Amino acid sequence: MTHTELSPARRISDNGISVDCVIFGFDGERLNVLLLRRTGEIGGISFDDMKLPGSPIYQDEDLDEAAHRVLKELTGLSNVYLSQFKAFGSKTRTENPRDVIWLEKESGIKVDRRMVTVAYIALLKIGRSISRELNGSRAIWVPLGTEGSLAFDHNQILTESISQIRRMVALSPDCIFDLLPRKFTISQLRKLYETILQEKIDAGNFYKKLSVMPYVVPLDEKETGTPHRAARLYRFDRVIYRKNHSE
Amino acid sequence: MTHTELSPARRISDNGISVDCVIFGFDGERLNVLLLRRTGEIGGISFDDMKLPGSPIYQDEDLDEAAHRVLKELTGLSNVYLSQFKAFGSKTRTENPRDVIWLEKESGIKVDRRMVTVAYIALLKIGRSISRELNGSRAIWVPLGTEGSLAFDHNQILTESISQIRRMVALSPDCIFDLLPRKFTISQLRKLYETILQEKIDAGNFYKKLSVMPYVVPLDEKETGTPHRAARLYRFDRVIYRKNHSE
DNA sequence: CCAAAAGTGTTTCTCATACACCCATGT
DNA sequence: ACATGGGTGTATGAGAAACACTTTTGG
C-alpha cells in the first residue's frame, strides 16, 4: 500500500473497474431510464449516441460510494434507492474503438485492457426538482424500449436490470414505492405494477388487496383535475412495512 | 493449485479484480462450504487459517470463465450450478498485512491497492468422486457455522451468500436439487429445505406438496439400511420443471 | 411388540381470481 | 345523461397449515 505519489485526496483508480447506474423513473405511464448523451469523433467521423451514467471508481471509495457519487453528481439526490445487481466483465466489452476512444478522452485513463463494471439499479420519482437539476446536463429520461443502441454493453445491462427489477418487486414489493410520488392513487400503483410485470391486473381485486395492507395508508385527500371521479390518495409507510416483514 | 508459474498464453490481469467461489455441499445433515487452508508467515510468526477458493482473473477470460476455472481446478467438475451473486469492494478489504503478503506470494502480483472481488455461489453434491478429487489438496468441507475467522472479508461474503441462497430457493426452487444426489428421498429434500430456511417443516404436508409436483419423479427404488421403514427414492426432472415454469 | 419414520386423510383458513355491479364526477 | 374510472360484494377454487391417523420396517 504505497501512497507516495497520490496527488490530491482523490484520484481515479486505474484498476479497470467502473460502476454504471441504471436509473429508473416512472412517469405515470411508462418506465423511463436516465441516459447520458455521448458525442465524439473517430477517424474524422463524429458519433452521437447514449450511455448509462457511470464512472471509474476512485481508490479511496468503495463500490457503493462510487455508485452514490455518480447518482449524486447527475441528479443532486442522495436519499435514493440504490442497489448493486451484477458485475459485467465480458472479454469484449471494452473493445469497440468508439468506446475506447471516448473512455480514454473522458477519464484520462489509458484503456489497454478489458474494463469490468459493476452495475447498480436506482429507483426514483420523476419530479420537478429532478427535472430542474437535469436541465442543462446531457441527461435525458428515455422511455423503456425506445433507447436504441447504447454504448459498451449497456443494452445488455439495461435488459438484465429490468429482469432484476421484476425479481426485486417479487421479493420485496416495498421498492416499488420508490418509483411513485409520496402521495399516489391505487391506479397509479397498479399501472406501475402492470408496466413492470407486463401483464394486466384486475382493478377491483388490486384495490381490495391494497386496502388490506396496513402499510398503504389512505389519506384524506383526493386527486384533482381528473376527467372522472377523483381517486383517494395514499402514502407508503415504511415503518409499518418493516414491522410486518421483519419476522 | 498455486499460480506461481504462469503459462505465457495466459497471464494474470493486474487490474485488481478477482473471483471467489462459495461452494456449498449438503451432507444429509448440514450445509458445508468448501474452504482452502492457507498458511504463511509474517514477521517471523506463522499463521494458518482458511479462505474461500478464488483467483485473480486473467485478461483473456471473462468473470464467469474465471469462476468456472477456479471450480474446475479445485473439484475437477465442470457441470455445476454456478452463479454470480455480488461484487465486494470495501476500501479496506485488502489491507490486512497477512492478506497482502499471502496474496503477493501466491499470485505474484504487487498488491498496492484495494482489490475488488466478484463472488460466485456454486451448489454441488458431496459425493465419492469429489471427495477423491479433494484428497491431497488443501480443500476441506466445513459445516456452516464452524468456519471461524476467514481471510479477507470472506466471512462477510459467506454470510451474504447464505441469504442469497435463501432468495434463490424462494425464487426458483430447482436450484436446491443441485445439492442433492440424483436419487433422493423426500426426507432428505425436506431436511435440506429446513437447513436452508432455518425452520421446521411439517413432514406430512411436505410429502403431499411434493407428490403433486410433476417434476419430482418417483422411482421404483427404495432406501436401504435404514433403522425404520424404507423411503421411496425420487429424482428431479429438469425438463418437466422448465416446461412448467417457462410460461 | 415397539420405536421411528413413511405416507394418508380431513379440516380449516387465507388468498387469488373472475366478474357483476354500484358510485362519483367532469363534460 | 353518459362515459369513465373509483370502489364494493360475492362466489369459487387452489393451496398452505394443523394435526390425527395408518403403514411399514428394523431392532
PDB file of all heavy atoms in Angstrom, chain A residues 187 190 204 207-208 228-229 231-232, chain D residues 3-11:
ATOM      1  N   SER A 187     -54.622   3.468  -8.596  1.00  0.00           N
ATOM      2  CA  SER A 187     -54.478   3.272 -10.040  1.00  0.00           C
ATOM      3  C   SER A 187     -53.049   3.462 -10.498  1.00  0.00           C
ATOM      4  O   SER A 187     -52.536   2.688 -11.305  1.00  0.00           O
ATOM      5  CB  SER A 187     -55.346   4.267 -10.807  1.00  0.00           C
ATOM      6  OG  SER A 187     -56.681   3.949 -10.659  1.00  0.00           O
ATOM      7  N   ARG A 190     -51.158   0.528  -9.520  1.00  0.00           N
ATOM      8  CA  ARG A 190     -51.497  -0.614 -10.360  1.00  0.00           C
ATOM      9  C   ARG A 190     -50.844  -0.500 -11.732  1.00  0.00           C
ATOM     10  O   ARG A 190     -50.269  -1.455 -12.246  1.00  0.00           O
ATOM     11  CB  ARG A 190     -53.016  -0.734 -10.505  1.00  0.00           C
ATOM     12  CG  ARG A 190     -53.465  -1.899 -11.391  1.00  0.00           C
ATOM     13  CD  ARG A 190     -54.972  -2.124 -11.337  1.00  0.00           C
ATOM     14  NE  ARG A 190     -55.717  -0.883 -11.496  1.00  0.00           N
ATOM     15  CZ  ARG A 190     -55.987  -0.322 -12.671  1.00  0.00           C
ATOM     16  NH1 ARG A 190     -55.584  -0.885 -13.785  1.00  0.00           N
ATOM     17  NH2 ARG A 190     -56.658   0.810 -12.726  1.00  0.00           N
ATOM     18  N   GLY A 204     -60.342  -4.108  -9.599  1.00  0.00           N
ATOM     19  CA  GLY A 204     -61.095  -4.331  -8.374  1.00  0.00           C
ATOM     20  C   GLY A 204     -60.329  -5.155  -7.363  1.00  0.00           C
ATOM     21  O   GLY A 204     -60.213  -4.776  -6.190  1.00  0.00           O
ATOM     22  N   TYR A 207     -57.449  -3.298  -5.886  1.00  0.00           N
ATOM     23  CA  TYR A 207     -57.883  -2.324  -4.889  1.00  0.00           C
ATOM     24  C   TYR A 207     -58.072  -2.980  -3.532  1.00  0.00           C
ATOM     25  O   TYR A 207     -57.587  -2.505  -2.497  1.00  0.00           O
ATOM     26  CB  TYR A 207     -59.186  -1.675  -5.340  1.00  0.00           C
ATOM     27  CG  TYR A 207     -59.633  -0.595  -4.408  1.00  0.00           C
ATOM     28  CD1 TYR A 207     -59.194   0.708  -4.553  1.00  0.00           C
ATOM     29  CD2 TYR A 207     -60.466  -0.888  -3.330  1.00  0.00           C
ATOM     30  CE1 TYR A 207     -59.579   1.695  -3.669  1.00  0.00           C
ATOM     31  CE2 TYR A 207     -60.845   0.090  -2.435  1.00  0.00           C
ATOM     32  CZ  TYR A 207     -60.405   1.376  -2.613  1.00  0.00           C
ATOM     33  OH  TYR A 207     -60.771   2.354  -1.740  1.00  0.00           O
ATOM     34  N   LYS A 208     -58.770  -4.129  -3.547  1.00  0.00           N
ATOM     35  CA  LYS A 208     -59.017  -4.816  -2.280  1.00  0.00           C
ATOM     36  C   LYS A 208     -57.726  -5.307  -1.625  1.00  0.00           C
ATOM     37  O   LYS A 208     -57.539  -5.176  -0.426  1.00  0.00           O
ATOM     38  CB  LYS A 208     -59.960  -6.000  -2.520  1.00  0.00           C
ATOM     39  CG  LYS A 208     -61.417  -5.630  -2.391  1.00  0.00           C
ATOM     40  CD  LYS A 208     -62.302  -6.810  -2.703  1.00  0.00           C
ATOM     41  CE  LYS A 208     -62.067  -7.290  -4.127  1.00  0.00           C
ATOM     42  NZ  LYS A 208     -62.834  -8.495  -4.473  1.00  0.00           N
ATOM     43  N   HIS A 228     -62.863  12.314 -14.473  1.00  0.00           N
ATOM     44  CA  HIS A 228     -63.826  11.343 -13.925  1.00  0.00           C
ATOM     45  C   HIS A 228     -63.784  11.446 -12.408  1.00  0.00           C
ATOM     46  O   HIS A 228     -63.160  12.362 -11.850  1.00  0.00           O
ATOM     47  CB  HIS A 228     -63.461   9.938 -14.380  1.00  0.00           C
ATOM     48  CG  HIS A 228     -62.019   9.606 -14.160  1.00  0.00           C
ATOM     49  ND1 HIS A 228     -61.506   9.312 -12.938  1.00  0.00           N
ATOM     50  CD2 HIS A 228     -60.967   9.585 -15.030  1.00  0.00           C
ATOM     51  CE1 HIS A 228     -60.216   9.087 -13.055  1.00  0.00           C
ATOM     52  NE2 HIS A 228     -59.861   9.259 -14.318  1.00  0.00           N
ATOM     53  N   ARG A 229     -64.386  10.508 -11.754  1.00  0.00           N
ATOM     54  CA  ARG A 229     -64.413  10.501 -10.286  1.00  0.00           C
ATOM     55  C   ARG A 229     -62.997  10.588  -9.700  1.00  0.00           C
ATOM     56  O   ARG A 229     -62.106   9.868 -10.129  1.00  0.00           O
ATOM     57  CB  ARG A 229     -65.085   9.214  -9.810  1.00  0.00           C
ATOM     58  CG  ARG A 229     -65.061   9.034  -8.315  1.00  0.00           C
ATOM     59  CD  ARG A 229     -65.795   7.766  -7.942  1.00  0.00           C
ATOM     60  NE  ARG A 229     -65.698   7.499  -6.524  1.00  0.00           N
ATOM     61  CZ  ARG A 229     -66.248   6.442  -5.947  1.00  0.00           C
ATOM     62  NH1 ARG A 229     -66.916   5.572  -6.681  1.00  0.00           N
ATOM     63  NH2 ARG A 229     -66.135   6.246  -4.649  1.00  0.00           N
ATOM     64  N   ALA A 231     -59.896  10.052  -7.340  1.00  0.00           N
ATOM     65  CA  ALA A 231     -59.442   8.909  -6.547  1.00  0.00           C
ATOM     66  C   ALA A 231     -58.782   9.377  -5.261  1.00  0.00           C
ATOM     67  O   ALA A 231     -58.176  10.442  -5.202  1.00  0.00           O
ATOM     68  CB  ALA A 231     -58.467   8.070  -7.359  1.00  0.00           C
ATOM     69  N   ARG A 232     -58.885   8.534  -4.250  1.00  0.00           N
ATOM     70  CA  ARG A 232     -58.239   8.833  -2.979  1.00  0.00           C
ATOM     71  C   ARG A 232     -56.724   8.718  -3.118  1.00  0.00           C
ATOM     72  O   ARG A 232     -56.219   7.894  -3.894  1.00  0.00           O
ATOM     73  CB  ARG A 232     -58.732   7.856  -1.923  1.00  0.00           C
ATOM     74  CG  ARG A 232     -58.137   8.065  -0.542  1.00  0.00           C
ATOM     75  CD  ARG A 232     -58.667   7.031   0.433  1.00  0.00           C
ATOM     76  NE  ARG A 232     -60.072   7.249   0.752  1.00  0.00           N
ATOM     77  CZ  ARG A 232     -60.494   8.101   1.695  1.00  0.00           C
ATOM     78  NH1 ARG A 232     -59.616   8.804   2.387  1.00  0.00           N
ATOM     79  NH2 ARG A 232     -61.768   8.238   1.950  1.00  0.00           N
TER      80      ARG A 232
ATOM     81  P    DA D   3     -72.384   6.359 -23.169  1.00  0.00           P
ATOM     82  OP1  DA D   3     -72.862   7.011 -24.411  1.00  0.00           O
ATOM     83  OP2  DA D   3     -72.788   4.988 -22.832  1.00  0.00           O
ATOM     84  O5'  DA D   3     -70.793   6.457 -23.166  1.00  0.00           O
ATOM     85  C5'  DA D   3     -70.198   7.733 -23.400  1.00  0.00           C
ATOM     86  C4'  DA D   3     -69.020   7.964 -22.487  1.00  0.00           C
ATOM     87  O4'  DA D   3     -69.445   8.454 -21.194  1.00  0.00           O
ATOM     88  C3'  DA D   3     -68.167   6.719 -22.230  1.00  0.00           C
ATOM     89  O3'  DA D   3     -66.808   7.106 -22.345  1.00  0.00           O
ATOM     90  C2'  DA D   3     -68.510   6.349 -20.780  1.00  0.00           C
ATOM     91  C1'  DA D   3     -68.774   7.720 -20.171  1.00  0.00           C
ATOM     92  N9   DA D   3     -69.666   7.738 -19.011  1.00  0.00           N
ATOM     93  C8   DA D   3     -70.815   7.016 -18.855  1.00  0.00           C
ATOM     94  N7   DA D   3     -71.431   7.251 -17.712  1.00  0.00           N
ATOM     95  C5   DA D   3     -70.634   8.191 -17.086  1.00  0.00           C
ATOM     96  C6   DA D   3     -70.733   8.850 -15.853  1.00  0.00           C
ATOM     97  N6   DA D   3     -71.720   8.662 -15.004  1.00  0.00           N
ATOM     98  N1   DA D   3     -69.754   9.723 -15.529  1.00  0.00           N
ATOM     99  C2   DA D   3     -68.759   9.920 -16.394  1.00  0.00           C
ATOM    100  N3   DA D   3     -68.552   9.360 -17.582  1.00  0.00           N
ATOM    101  C4   DA D   3     -69.537   8.499 -17.870  1.00  0.00           C
ATOM    102  P    DT D   4     -65.663   6.017 -22.453  1.00  0.00           P
ATOM    103  OP1  DT D   4     -64.818   6.395 -23.594  1.00  0.00           O
ATOM    104  OP2  DT D   4     -66.301   4.690 -22.384  1.00  0.00           O
ATOM    105  O5'  DT D   4     -64.859   6.257 -21.122  1.00  0.00           O
ATOM    106  C5'  DT D   4     -64.589   7.591 -20.679  1.00  0.00           C
ATOM    107  C4'  DT D   4     -64.084   7.525 -19.267  1.00  0.00           C
ATOM    108  O4'  DT D   4     -65.197   7.630 -18.339  1.00  0.00           O
ATOM    109  C3'  DT D   4     -63.380   6.209 -18.932  1.00  0.00           C
ATOM    110  O3'  DT D   4     -62.158   6.495 -18.311  1.00  0.00           O
ATOM    111  C2'  DT D   4     -64.342   5.511 -17.988  1.00  0.00           C
ATOM    112  C1'  DT D   4     -65.007   6.709 -17.300  1.00  0.00           C
ATOM    113  N1   DT D   4     -66.325   6.411 -16.672  1.00  0.00           N
ATOM    114  C2   DT D   4     -66.667   7.085 -15.513  1.00  0.00           C
ATOM    115  O2   DT D   4     -65.969   7.913 -14.989  1.00  0.00           O
ATOM    116  N3   DT D   4     -67.897   6.754 -15.005  1.00  0.00           N
ATOM    117  C4   DT D   4     -68.790   5.825 -15.522  1.00  0.00           C
ATOM    118  O4   DT D   4     -69.865   5.611 -14.980  1.00  0.00           O
ATOM    119  C5   DT D   4     -68.349   5.161 -16.723  1.00  0.00           C
ATOM    120  C7   DT D   4     -69.239   4.118 -17.354  1.00  0.00           C
ATOM    121  C6   DT D   4     -67.158   5.483 -17.236  1.00  0.00           C
ATOM    122  P    DG D   5     -60.883   5.468 -18.486  1.00  0.00           P
ATOM    123  OP1  DG D   5     -59.732   6.220 -18.994  1.00  0.00           O
ATOM    124  OP2  DG D   5     -61.389   4.262 -19.156  1.00  0.00           O
ATOM    125  O5'  DG D   5     -60.597   5.112 -16.961  1.00  0.00           O
ATOM    126  C5'  DG D   5     -60.158   6.173 -16.149  1.00  0.00           C
ATOM    127  C4'  DG D   5     -60.880   6.110 -14.846  1.00  0.00           C
ATOM    128  O4'  DG D   5     -62.278   5.823 -15.033  1.00  0.00           O
ATOM    129  C3'  DG D   5     -60.371   5.005 -13.897  1.00  0.00           C
ATOM    130  O3'  DG D   5     -59.905   5.620 -12.724  1.00  0.00           O
ATOM    131  C2'  DG D   5     -61.583   4.125 -13.696  1.00  0.00           C
ATOM    132  C1'  DG D   5     -62.714   5.149 -13.905  1.00  0.00           C
ATOM    133  N9   DG D   5     -64.007   4.526 -14.100  1.00  0.00           N
ATOM    134  C8   DG D   5     -64.384   3.669 -15.099  1.00  0.00           C
ATOM    135  N7   DG D   5     -65.646   3.271 -14.976  1.00  0.00           N
ATOM    136  C5   DG D   5     -66.102   3.915 -13.839  1.00  0.00           C
ATOM    137  C6   DG D   5     -67.375   3.872 -13.215  1.00  0.00           C
ATOM    138  O6   DG D   5     -68.384   3.246 -13.552  1.00  0.00           O
ATOM    139  N1   DG D   5     -67.412   4.684 -12.082  1.00  0.00           N
ATOM    140  C2   DG D   5     -66.362   5.424 -11.612  1.00  0.00           C
ATOM    141  N2   DG D   5     -66.580   6.132 -10.514  1.00  0.00           N
ATOM    142  N3   DG D   5     -65.171   5.476 -12.182  1.00  0.00           N
ATOM    143  C4   DG D   5     -65.112   4.694 -13.285  1.00  0.00           C
ATOM    144  P    DG D   6     -59.361   4.857 -11.461  1.00  0.00           P
ATOM    145  OP1  DG D   6     -58.178   5.577 -10.975  1.00  0.00           O
ATOM    146  OP2  DG D   6     -59.292   3.432 -11.834  1.00  0.00           O
ATOM    147  O5'  DG D   6     -60.528   5.056 -10.404  1.00  0.00           O
ATOM    148  C5'  DG D   6     -60.792   6.369  -9.926  1.00  0.00           C
ATOM    149  C4'  DG D   6     -61.728   6.314  -8.741  1.00  0.00           C
ATOM    150  O4'  DG D   6     -62.992   5.764  -9.178  1.00  0.00           O
ATOM    151  C3'  DG D   6     -61.247   5.424  -7.600  1.00  0.00           C
ATOM    152  O3'  DG D   6     -61.643   6.012  -6.356  1.00  0.00           O
ATOM    153  C2'  DG D   6     -61.966   4.110  -7.861  1.00  0.00           C
ATOM    154  C1'  DG D   6     -63.282   4.577  -8.475  1.00  0.00           C
ATOM    155  N9   DG D   6     -63.837   3.639  -9.441  1.00  0.00           N
ATOM    156  C8   DG D   6     -63.223   3.168 -10.562  1.00  0.00           C
ATOM    157  N7   DG D   6     -63.983   2.337 -11.240  1.00  0.00           N
ATOM    158  C5   DG D   6     -65.161   2.268 -10.505  1.00  0.00           C
ATOM    159  C6   DG D   6     -66.342   1.528 -10.750  1.00  0.00           C
ATOM    160  O6   DG D   6     -66.586   0.766 -11.683  1.00  0.00           O
ATOM    161  N1   DG D   6     -67.285   1.740  -9.746  1.00  0.00           N
ATOM    162  C2   DG D   6     -67.113   2.565  -8.679  1.00  0.00           C
ATOM    163  N2   DG D   6     -68.138   2.633  -7.827  1.00  0.00           N
ATOM    164  N3   DG D   6     -66.018   3.261  -8.445  1.00  0.00           N
ATOM    165  C4   DG D   6     -65.087   3.061  -9.396  1.00  0.00           C
ATOM    166  P    DG D   7     -61.007   5.397  -5.022  1.00  0.00           P
ATOM    167  OP1  DG D   7     -61.170   6.412  -3.951  1.00  0.00           O
ATOM    168  OP2  DG D   7     -59.695   4.820  -5.306  1.00  0.00           O
ATOM    169  O5'  DG D   7     -62.014   4.215  -4.704  1.00  0.00           O
ATOM    170  C5'  DG D   7     -63.323   4.552  -4.235  1.00  0.00           C
ATOM    171  C4'  DG D   7     -64.170   3.314  -4.188  1.00  0.00           C
ATOM    172  O4'  DG D   7     -64.286   2.747  -5.508  1.00  0.00           O
ATOM    173  C3'  DG D   7     -63.673   2.167  -3.293  1.00  0.00           C
ATOM    174  O3'  DG D   7     -64.549   2.083  -2.183  1.00  0.00           O
ATOM    175  C2'  DG D   7     -63.720   0.942  -4.205  1.00  0.00           C
ATOM    176  C1'  DG D   7     -64.642   1.403  -5.329  1.00  0.00           C
ATOM    177  N9   DG D   7     -64.511   0.697  -6.592  1.00  0.00           N
ATOM    178  C8   DG D   7     -63.409   0.648  -7.416  1.00  0.00           C
ATOM    179  N7   DG D   7     -63.602  -0.077  -8.483  1.00  0.00           N
ATOM    180  C5   DG D   7     -64.899  -0.546  -8.349  1.00  0.00           C
ATOM    181  C6   DG D   7     -65.666  -1.385  -9.193  1.00  0.00           C
ATOM    182  O6   DG D   7     -65.333  -1.908 -10.259  1.00  0.00           O
ATOM    183  N1   DG D   7     -66.943  -1.600  -8.687  1.00  0.00           N
ATOM    184  C2   DG D   7     -67.423  -1.075  -7.505  1.00  0.00           C
ATOM    185  N2   DG D   7     -68.667  -1.396  -7.185  1.00  0.00           N
ATOM    186  N3   DG D   7     -66.716  -0.290  -6.713  1.00  0.00           N
ATOM    187  C4   DG D   7     -65.478  -0.074  -7.189  1.00  0.00           C
ATOM    188  P    DT D   8     -64.511   0.942  -1.112  1.00  0.00           P
ATOM    189  OP1  DT D   8     -65.064   1.487   0.147  1.00  0.00           O
ATOM    190  OP2  DT D   8     -63.170   0.354  -1.149  1.00  0.00           O
ATOM    191  O5'  DT D   8     -65.562  -0.128  -1.659  1.00  0.00           O
ATOM    192  C5'  DT D   8     -66.918   0.282  -1.873  1.00  0.00           C
ATOM    193  C4'  DT D   8     -67.813  -0.922  -2.068  1.00  0.00           C
ATOM    194  O4'  DT D   8     -67.649  -1.438  -3.420  1.00  0.00           O
ATOM    195  C3'  DT D   8     -67.550  -2.108  -1.143  1.00  0.00           C
ATOM    196  O3'  DT D   8     -68.772  -2.507  -0.563  1.00  0.00           O
ATOM    197  C2'  DT D   8     -66.953  -3.183  -2.049  1.00  0.00           C
ATOM    198  C1'  DT D   8     -67.597  -2.840  -3.381  1.00  0.00           C
ATOM    199  N1   DT D   8     -66.832  -3.264  -4.559  1.00  0.00           N
ATOM    200  C2   DT D   8     -67.426  -4.075  -5.488  1.00  0.00           C
ATOM    201  O2   DT D   8     -68.574  -4.471  -5.408  1.00  0.00           O
ATOM    202  N3   DT D   8     -66.622  -4.411  -6.560  1.00  0.00           N
ATOM    203  C4   DT D   8     -65.314  -4.026  -6.759  1.00  0.00           C
ATOM    204  O4   DT D   8     -64.701  -4.392  -7.754  1.00  0.00           O
ATOM    205  C5   DT D   8     -64.750  -3.184  -5.751  1.00  0.00           C
ATOM    206  C7   DT D   8     -63.338  -2.703  -5.870  1.00  0.00           C
ATOM    207  C6   DT D   8     -65.523  -2.841  -4.702  1.00  0.00           C
ATOM    208  P    DG D   9     -68.858  -3.703   0.460  1.00  0.00           P
ATOM    209  OP1  DG D   9     -69.908  -3.351   1.440  1.00  0.00           O
ATOM    210  OP2  DG D   9     -67.506  -4.086   0.905  1.00  0.00           O
ATOM    211  O5'  DG D   9     -69.423  -4.877  -0.466  1.00  0.00           O
ATOM    212  C5'  DG D   9     -70.635  -4.681  -1.187  1.00  0.00           C
ATOM    213  C4'  DG D   9     -71.080  -5.992  -1.816  1.00  0.00           C
ATOM    214  O4'  DG D   9     -70.296  -6.243  -3.019  1.00  0.00           O
ATOM    215  C3'  DG D   9     -70.900  -7.226  -0.927  1.00  0.00           C
ATOM    216  O3'  DG D   9     -72.091  -8.018  -0.980  1.00  0.00           O
ATOM    217  C2'  DG D   9     -69.696  -7.952  -1.522  1.00  0.00           C
ATOM    218  C1'  DG D   9     -69.714  -7.529  -2.990  1.00  0.00           C
ATOM    219  N9   DG D   9     -68.389  -7.394  -3.591  1.00  0.00           N
ATOM    220  C8   DG D   9     -67.311  -6.726  -3.054  1.00  0.00           C
ATOM    221  N7   DG D   9     -66.262  -6.742  -3.818  1.00  0.00           N
ATOM    222  C5   DG D   9     -66.660  -7.486  -4.930  1.00  0.00           C
ATOM    223  C6   DG D   9     -65.935  -7.845  -6.083  1.00  0.00           C
ATOM    224  O6   DG D   9     -64.768  -7.570  -6.376  1.00  0.00           O
ATOM    225  N1   DG D   9     -66.715  -8.594  -6.966  1.00  0.00           N
ATOM    226  C2   DG D   9     -68.027  -8.953  -6.755  1.00  0.00           C
ATOM    227  N2   DG D   9     -68.608  -9.675  -7.709  1.00  0.00           N
ATOM    228  N3   DG D   9     -68.718  -8.617  -5.669  1.00  0.00           N
ATOM    229  C4   DG D   9     -67.968  -7.895  -4.803  1.00  0.00           C
ATOM    230  P    DT D  10     -72.221  -9.362  -0.176  1.00  0.00           P
ATOM    231  OP1  DT D  10     -73.607  -9.348   0.362  1.00  0.00           O
ATOM    232  OP2  DT D  10     -71.063  -9.511   0.732  1.00  0.00           O
ATOM    233  O5'  DT D  10     -72.125 -10.517  -1.261  1.00  0.00           O
ATOM    234  C5'  DT D  10     -72.463 -10.267  -2.621  1.00  0.00           C
ATOM    235  C4'  DT D  10     -72.054 -11.483  -3.436  1.00  0.00           C
ATOM    236  O4'  DT D  10     -70.804 -11.220  -4.126  1.00  0.00           O
ATOM    237  C3'  DT D  10     -71.810 -12.746  -2.606  1.00  0.00           C
ATOM    238  O3'  DT D  10     -72.347 -13.855  -3.287  1.00  0.00           O
ATOM    239  C2'  DT D  10     -70.296 -12.816  -2.515  1.00  0.00           C
ATOM    240  C1'  DT D  10     -69.931 -12.304  -3.898  1.00  0.00           C
ATOM    241  N1   DT D  10     -68.546 -11.814  -4.042  1.00  0.00           N
ATOM    242  C2   DT D  10     -67.862 -12.085  -5.214  1.00  0.00           C
ATOM    243  O2   DT D  10     -68.351 -12.713  -6.130  1.00  0.00           O
ATOM    244  N3   DT D  10     -66.591 -11.590  -5.262  1.00  0.00           N
ATOM    245  C4   DT D  10     -65.923 -10.875  -4.267  1.00  0.00           C
ATOM    246  O4   DT D  10     -64.780 -10.485  -4.434  1.00  0.00           O
ATOM    247  C5   DT D  10     -66.696 -10.633  -3.080  1.00  0.00           C
ATOM    248  C7   DT D  10     -66.078  -9.886  -1.956  1.00  0.00           C
ATOM    249  C6   DT D  10     -67.955 -11.103  -3.017  1.00  0.00           C
ATOM    250  P    DA D  11     -72.512 -15.260  -2.577  1.00  0.00           P
ATOM    251  OP1  DA D  11     -73.964 -15.514  -2.446  1.00  0.00           O
ATOM    252  OP2  DA D  11     -71.631 -15.328  -1.389  1.00  0.00           O
ATOM    253  O5'  DA D  11     -71.931 -16.246  -3.680  1.00  0.00           O
ATOM    254  C5'  DA D  11     -72.041 -15.933  -5.070  1.00  0.00           C
ATOM    255  C4'  DA D  11     -71.004 -16.739  -5.815  1.00  0.00           C
ATOM    256  O4'  DA D  11     -69.750 -16.011  -5.812  1.00  0.00           O
ATOM    257  C3'  DA D  11     -70.713 -18.104  -5.187  1.00  0.00           C
ATOM    258  O3'  DA D  11     -70.660 -19.092  -6.194  1.00  0.00           O
ATOM    259  C2'  DA D  11     -69.369 -17.896  -4.493  1.00  0.00           C
ATOM    260  C1'  DA D  11     -68.705 -16.876  -5.398  1.00  0.00           C
ATOM    261  N9   DA D  11     -67.695 -16.058  -4.743  1.00  0.00           N
ATOM    262  C8   DA D  11     -67.764 -15.441  -3.515  1.00  0.00           C
ATOM    263  N7   DA D  11     -66.697 -14.753  -3.191  1.00  0.00           N
ATOM    264  C5   DA D  11     -65.850 -14.931  -4.292  1.00  0.00           C
ATOM    265  C6   DA D  11     -64.560 -14.458  -4.568  1.00  0.00           C
ATOM    266  N6   DA D  11     -63.867 -13.683  -3.752  1.00  0.00           N
ATOM    267  N1   DA D  11     -64.020 -14.816  -5.755  1.00  0.00           N
ATOM    268  C2   DA D  11     -64.718 -15.599  -6.594  1.00  0.00           C
ATOM    269  N3   DA D  11     -65.934 -16.096  -6.434  1.00  0.00           N
ATOM    270  C4   DA D  11     -66.452 -15.725  -5.247  1.00  0.00           C
TER     271       DA D  11
END
